[in-house]
Amino acid sequence: MSIPNHRPRESLVQYEAPIEVGQDTHQRQKVNLTGTAGKKKGQLQPLETKPTTDDILHAILPPREWLEENKHYIQYVSNQKPSRTDVINLQQMLDQRLMERQARESGICPIREELHSQCFDEIIRQVTIDCPERGLLLMRVRDEIKMTIAAYQTLYQSSVTFGSRKQLQAEHGKADLIKRIEELGERKIRLENKVQELKSKCDAIEKRNKERRVVEEGKRAQEIDFLKYQSTHLENFLKNLADK
């Protein structure tokens, strides 16, 4: 983990005065005890030796490190025994920081989450000094809460990604459907025009056949009248012949 190149922001957790790493032998020994000279931060002593309150405190709340003006600084949490005044001051500082940093009163707010996390760490520090076992139990509760929040964040990010992907798929499918609707609309217009054309042809054919039937019926009526006239004429002629 890289060391930041700037001094950390003021925290609600009480820390001791910063120490320059390598300033003297006593400070280097103190750094080695907490793992800053090649060991993992927050590592407790072996099981053969009973860890002190400071060891447990530094394991729960690892020291802060940073580089400033080409100097390496480290800052440990305070091991001063807390009082009732410290708790009251902590509550006042929490309200003041929430107001100064303009944290939201409701909803998701990283600033409010950060400040309440610092407040919880400070409470853990105060409890650990009075009862290390209780502090370790609170550390487990804190870590479990952080794991739960991280799981919810991962689930939220996954759901957002899934929703975005589905939205893109829906938009892509929507464009295809719109194109399909336009094609079907054009086809419908062509078919309607073809229907009108076929209806016009049918009407023209029907009209022509009707006119043809009228002409043929007229011709047949004339032929019938002519044949009736010839029949009557022949009957009269035959009758005259019979009378003679």
Side-chain angles (χ1 to χ4, degrees):
M1 181 177 176
S2 61
I3 301 176
N5 295 322
H6 56 83
R7 188 183 185 93
R9 183 192 293 268
E10 291 295 330
S11 174
L12 295 176
V13 182
Q14 293 186 14
Y15 284 89
E16 297 177 354
I19 301 174
E20 182 181 350
V21 177
Q23 190 173 13
D24 54 42
T25 305
H26 174 71
Q27 291 169 353
R28 283 197 298 268
Q29 290 176 353
K30 189 174 183 180
V31 170
N32 291 333
L33 286 175
T34 57
T36 57
K39 295 183 180 180
K40 184 178 179 181
K41 293 182 180 180
Q43 184 176 0
L44 294 175
Q45 295 181 0
L47 294 177
E48 290 77 5
T49 60
K50 183 179 180 181
T52 63
T53 302
D54 287 345
D55 294 332
I56 297 175
L57 190 62
H58 295 156
I60 296 175
L61 300 172
R64 302 192 299 182
E65 296 184 64
W66 71 90
L67 299 176
E68 186 176 357
E69 297 180 354
N70 296 325
K71 294 181 181 179
H72 184 189
Y73 290 94
I74 187 169
Q75 189 177 30
Y76 296 92
V77 292
S78 175
N79 58 359
Q80 294 182 358
K81 190 174 181 65
S83 63
R84 185 173 181 272
T85 305
D86 293 333
V87 179
I88 298 175
N89 293 335
L90 176 62
Q91 181 179 359
Q92 295 176 352
M93 289 177 60
L94 175 62
D95 295 336
Q96 182 180 356
R97 296 283 176 83
L98 289 172
M99 185 179 301
E100 289 176 353
R101 299 183 61 179
Q102 298 180 354
R104 298 178 182 176
E105 296 182 359
S106 60
I108 299 176
C109 179
I111 297 176
R112 192 178 75 248
E113 179 185 356
E114 177 187 355
L115 292 176
H116 280 87
S117 177
Q118 293 177 5
C119 181
F120 191 41
D121 289 341
E122 172 61 16
I123 294 174
I124 293 176
R125 184 194 71 82
Q126 296 178 8
V127 172
T128 303
I129 295 174
D130 290 334
C131 180
E133 292 79 7
R134 193 176 299 166
L136 290 173
L137 184 59
L138 285 177
M139 180 189 68
R140 290 182 56 185
V141 175
R142 179 196 65 181
D143 294 342
E144 180 63 26
I145 292 174
K146 290 182 177 180
M147 289 176 57
T148 304
I149 293 175
Y152 281 126
Q153 289 176 345
T154 302
L155 180 62
Y156 172 76
Q157 293 173 358
S158 300
S159 62
V160 170
T161 304
F162 178 78
S164 300
R165 185 169 61 251
K166 286 297 182 181
Q167 182 178 2
L168 292 175
Q169 293 177 356
E171 291 179 354
H172 180 70
K174 181 179 179 181
D176 294 339
L177 290 175
I178 291 176
K179 184 178 180 181
R180 178 64 176 169
I181 290 172
E182 292 177 353
E183 293 176 353
L184 293 175
E186 294 176 356
R187 183 182 178 187
K188 177 186 176 184
I189 293 174
R190 290 196 301 268
L191 293 175
E192 288 178 348
N193 293 336
K194 189 173 182 179
V195 169
Q196 293 296 331
E197 182 181 354
L198 293 175
K199 284 183 177 180
S200 299
K201 289 183 178 179
C202 290
D203 293 340
I205 293 172
E206 185 177 356
K207 183 178 179 180
R208 191 162 51 248
N209 291 334
K210 185 176 181 180
E211 292 175 351
R212 186 181 300 170
R213 284 197 303 270
V214 171
V215 173
E216 291 179 353
E217 288 176 357
K219 289 181 178 180
R220 283 195 294 269
Q222 291 177 359
E223 290 178 357
I224 292 172
D225 292 339
F226 178 73
L227 292 175
K228 286 182 178 180
Y229 172 77
Q230 285 186 343
S231 174
T232 303
H233 183 69
L234 288 174
E235 287 178 356
N236 293 331
F237 177 74
L238 291 175
K239 186 176 180 180
N240 292 331
L241 289 177
D243 292 339
K244 292 180 179 182

